[in-house]
Amino acid sequence: MWDRAVREAAGSPNQLIQRARFLSKLGRKEDAQRDFQAAIQGKQTDFITWRERANAFFALKQYQQAIADLSRAIELAPNSASLLIDRGDW
C-alpha cells in the first residue's frame, strides 16, 4: 500500500515520512531510516523530518547520528522546548 502511494506521489517527502512511521511501528527500523533519509532530501528545512529521522537513528542505537539530526532540527526551530528535551538539554 505505502509503496504504491510513494510511487504515485513520485517520492513525495510527506508520503515517505508516513511510510517510514508505519515501517517503524512494524519494527522495520532500517527501512524506516532509509525513508526518512529520502524524505530529508525533499524537506531539508523541515525540523519535524529531522526529528523523525533522529528517532529512527535512536531506535537503531546510532546515537551520534541521532544527536546530529536533533541539533539540525534545533537550528531550524530554536524555540522548540521539546527538541531541546529530546536532545537532553533540559
Side-chain angles (χ1 to χ4, degrees):
M1 172 175 82
W2 287 110
D3 293 335
R4 182 174 150 218
V6 170
R7 275 194 313 274
E8 290 177 5
S12 159
N14 291 332
Q15 291 295 330
L16 288 164
I17 291 165
Q18 292 301 319
R19 184 173 67 178
R21 288 175 180 157
F22 182 73
L23 291 168
S24 184
K25 289 181 183 190
L26 290 176
R28 294 175 52 189
K29 296 177 177 113
E30 291 85 6
D31 293 331
Q33 194 280 334
R34 278 192 290 277
D35 275 357
F36 284 127
Q37 175 65 30
I40 280 179
Q41 299 307 313
K43 295 186 91 168
Q44 293 185 8
T45 59
D46 179 32
F47 76 93
I48 294 170
T49 306
W50 288 93
R51 171 193 257 164
E52 295 276 359
R53 190 174 74 167
N55 290 337
F57 278 131
F58 273 122
L60 293 169
K61 298 183 178 173
Q62 296 177 7
Y63 303 118
Q64 293 297 330
Q65 294 95 326
I67 295 297
D69 279 4
L70 284 172
S71 295
R72 178 63 179 139
I74 291 167
E75 289 175 15
L76 296 169
N79 296 322
S80 172
S82 64
L83 287 173
L84 293 168
I85 290 168
D86 286 351
R87 193 175 68 179
D89 298 346
W90 41 292

